[in-house]
Amino acid sequence: MSKKDDIAEEIPDLLYDANTGITYRKLRFFGKGGFAKCYEIQNTQSKETYAGKIVSKKLMMKNNQKEKMTQEIQIHKSLNHKNIVGFKSFFDDSNNVYIVLELCKKRSMMELHKRRKVVTDYECRYYIHQIVSGVKYLHDHHIIHRDLKLGNLFLNDELHVKIGDFGLATKIEFEGERKKTLCGTPNYIAPEILNKKGHSYEVDIWSIGCVMYTLLVGQPPFETKSLKDTYSKIRKCDYRLPSNLRKNAADMIIAMLQSDPEKRPTIDKLFHFDFLSSAPIPKSLPYSCLTTAPRPE
Ligand code: ADP
């Protein structure tokens, strides 16, 4: 039996939460992250469905992930906002830890990006407004996500954005605190994290800049063939804006992608950029937007 099978076999078909007496049935497999496997699960009584994030205790202990997992649960369970993946409950048995989350059936913005490459300004405004709303809620509650990326921006059946995966998140404990360490590798990592100078809320603004750039340009701003070269470009803030990018989009990206964290706009300021404020934000998008651009407005 391979190592993989060994882990898969330890996830039972029925998951019992002894704290609430609720039993969940494991349905289809959704995806695999660093340490977690994710399944669609169903409350056997109410028939309501959720996402079950399941982490093997063996794997967690082997990789010193216990503290990180505790932190993720502590932070995520305290949050309640329409643009944050809902946290339902968590429990464990001798083999695994189970986290019951709001189900995001339309996967993440990563799959959207792979399918579409470039989205229209109209769609980008729809998505970025929700991301900024979710991050505002986090920052208002002294939480920094620290790994905002397309794969952590989930989409539900109505194509509402839900920020998830709080594995690298941290709480600012006092005004002005600068975090000195981060155990993990954020995707859209800010220069001040690379330089280990201390970092705070501004790292999320940097990441939103990278997300917005990727949505409108079709590839991340600092992408190279190697992580070393990417980090070198991030340190120099060396990225190019295509000349066909509309001015109000370019202005907002330029503001967010600045080396000096102090110069980046705060989350509240982002709402006032022309890109978001000069016209009403679309209320919804058709499903077809997952695969093809909507017709011109
Ligand atoms: P990790 O923290 O180990 O990287 P993730 O949070 O990225 O784990 O989850 C792993 C996979 O599970 C993702 O690729 C995604 O497909 C799926 N997933 C995670 N959360 C949800 C959710 N709330 N709804 C639907 N699918 C989810």
Side-chain angles (χ1 to χ4, degrees):
M1 191 163 61
S2 78
K3 228 165 134 192
K4 247 194 207 150
D5 298 335
D6 178 44
I7 292 158
E9 273 192 2
E10 286 167 11
I11 303 177
D13 284 335
L14 289 177
L15 319 174
Y16 180 62
D17 179 354
N19 306 316
T20 57
I22 295 173
T23 300
Y24 298 92
R25 186 177 301 282
K26 191 178 84 196
L27 303 177
R28 67 190 159 126
F29 177 66
F30 257 133
K32 196 166 164 289
F35 294 96
K37 284 186 176 174
C38 188
Y39 289 85
E40 180 175 353
I41 61 173
Q42 183 180 42
N43 180 323
T44 53
Q45 287 213 304
S46 72
K47 305 294 179 202
E48 273 185 282
T49 51
Y50 299 93
K53 196 167 159 171
I54 306 172
V55 181
S56 135
K57 285 188 175 174
K58 255 194 232 161
L59 209 61
M60 193 167 68
M61 295 317 250
K62 226 188 274 170
N63 296 277
N64 288 322
Q65 294 291 306
K66 189 164 189 270
E67 211 178 310
K68 239 172 96 183
M69 187 90 195
T70 311
Q71 169 91 337
E72 172 175 357
I73 292 172
Q74 273 308 316
I75 289 180
H76 201 167
K77 76 173 188 187
S78 72
L79 307 172
N80 178 22
H81 185 271
K82 61 179 190 302
N83 297 117
I84 307 286
V85 172
F87 187 101
K88 175 83 178 161
S89 65
F90 73 100
F91 54 94
D92 69 344
D93 59 23
S94 48
N95 295 325
N96 303 298
V97 177
Y98 305 89
I99 307 180
V100 184
L101 301 168
E102 176 181 9
L103 184 59
C104 301
K105 275 201 176 164
K106 295 296 177 204
R107 315 201 72 90
S108 78
M109 293 189 68
M110 191 57 182
E111 288 76 32
L112 168 87
H113 163 70
K114 284 196 175 141
R115 200 75 198 246
R116 291 284 309 280
K117 284 296 168 217
V118 172
V119 305
T120 62
D121 284 16
Y122 182 79
E123 295 166 276
C124 185
R125 294 175 60 249
Y126 168 85
Y127 291 120
I128 293 293
H129 188 270
Q130 294 180 58
I131 295 165
V132 172
S133 301
V135 174
K136 175 180 162 49
Y137 172 85
L138 294 178
H139 290 189
D140 284 348
H141 290 78
H142 312 291
I143 304 294
I144 323 176
H145 186 284
R146 301 200 295 187
D147 197 18
L148 295 170
K149 60 177 180 183
L150 297 172
N152 286 339
L153 299 168
F154 296 96
L155 297 169
N156 75 358
D157 265 341
E158 292 154 290
L159 297 191
H160 292 160
V161 180
K162 307 274 175 175
I163 299 171
D165 197 349
F166 289 83
L168 294 187
T170 190
K171 188 164 183 129
I172 288 288
E173 302 290 350
F174 55 90
E175 174 106 28
E177 182 188 8
R178 308 294 294 172
K179 294 291 180 185
K180 294 294 182 320
T181 55
L182 192 163
C183 294
T185 22
N187 193 281
Y188 296 136
I189 191 166
E192 64 270 28
I193 300 178
L194 290 176
N195 295 334
K196 300 193 165 65
K197 283 198 176 148
H199 63 268
S200 184
Y201 301 109
E202 307 89 358
V203 301
D204 284 345
I205 308 298
W206 174 274
S207 307
I208 298 171
C210 293
V211 166
M212 181 165 159
Y213 181 106
T214 307
L215 288 176
L216 291 177
V217 178
Q219 64 191 54
F222 305 99
E223 189 162 81
T224 67
K225 283 184 214 82
S226 77
L227 204 58
K228 184 170 152 280
D229 293 343
T230 292
Y231 286 179
S232 151
K233 281 190 166 225
I234 292 171
R235 285 200 172 91
K236 292 183 281 186
C237 200
D238 177 8
Y239 73 98
R240 298 280 164 267
L241 279 170
S243 55
N244 64 343
L245 207 66
R246 281 64 55 195
K247 184 176 183 307
N248 60 9
D251 285 348
M252 189 162 159
I253 291 171
I254 291 166
M256 292 188 273
L257 294 185
Q258 301 193 71
S259 300
D260 183 352
E262 278 187 42
K263 291 194 178 142
R264 287 174 218 148
T266 60
I267 197 71
D268 286 307
K269 287 224 172 96
L270 289 183
F271 287 107
H272 302 297
F273 277 79
D274 283 350
F275 184 71
L276 292 182
S277 65
S278 62
I281 300 295
K283 290 251 184 297
S284 62
L285 291 181
Y287 271 160
S288 59
C289 284
L290 289 173
T291 52
T292 47
R295 272 170 291 156
E297 294 159 64

